[in-house]
Amino acid sequence: MNNNFIGKVILAAAGPGDPDLITVKAVRWLEQAHVVLVDRLVSEAILHRYVNSRAEIIHVGKQSGRSGSTPQPTINRLMIEHARAGRLVVRLKGGDASVFSNIFDELSALVNNRIPYEIVPGVTAALGAAAYAGIPLTAREYASGIRLLTFYKSDVIQDKYWEELAQTDDTLVFYMSGEMLDQAAALLLGKGISQDKGIAVIEQASTPMQQVTISSFAEYDRKLKGRTFQSPALVIVGKVAFLHERFRWFKNSNSGELYFKPIHAFVLSAEPSVSE
Ligand code: SAH
């Protein structure tokens, strides 16, 4: 390693799944990295294809509320320790580095410890899923805007805001909400969302296991209620959901296989590098 190199952290992301959806800039950093700290929603295919063979790959996957996740302080410590040792660290997340990620904690830790860093944007799941499902999110006359939301537990959206979400013509995109879909639908219906608005659930978007399910709110009980979805799943609400039927181009898979490895397959590999 070049002794003059001052350690640095690159906060980058790999896109939603398809290895071709990573940015050229992220790839350039992965070609030079000494250490890569990887989230669960980054596939083996991406690591294999783009990370140089000398780099140390450390899996630090997290999954909201699941046991076995790598705690955020551990991730922060790994970034700081490796950068202080003069290494080029790439912190590689799924989708885009800043959308529903812990980048705020990580940036705070880097700034507090005076570690140089850069942020590289990526294709967030909303955009990847929309493209691969053939759903133009702001199609003229269908929607005038997009709201990126999450509803992984019931108190993250206030009652008052559900009213607005039920009434708006904006397309709503829910991250980390597959397991809460019945509750979200009931709340939107309770606040009077139009029965002819649509819901698209896109599982494992942009991977060979992608599966898209479309329903109107009127048909929710028959088509979606009580269903479980493969992780990761994204939910798109709005009139644009029905455009899938007209513009779909990517094959729907019915395999039910998981593209991304479950969390427990990863986390132990992070432990030996941690020094108290
Ligand atoms: N930073 C990521 C989001 C992390 S939160 C991004 O910008 O995309 C994790 C959530 O993202 C998942 O629960 C799911 O809702 C969504 N997600 C990520 N990848 C996905 C994929 N390939 N297909 C469907 N949803 C995905």
Side-chain angles (χ1 to χ4, degrees), residues 16-17 41 94-96 99-101 123-125 174-177 202-207 232-234 260:
L41 294 180
D96 171 78
V99 177
F100 297 120
S101 73
V123 176
T124 189
F174 288 95
Y175 286 70
M176 291 180 278
S177 310
I202 301 135
E203 300 167 78
Q204 311 196 82
S206 84
T207 78
L234 195 84
F260 298 100

Side-chain angles (χ1 to χ4, degrees), residues 84-105:
R84 284 220 171 110
R87 300 185 188 116
L88 174 61
V89 180
V90 178
R91 170 76 180 99
L92 192 66
K93 299 160 182 279
D96 171 78
S98 67
V99 177
F100 297 120
S101 73
N102 281 315
I103 199 168
F104 178 74
D105 285 346

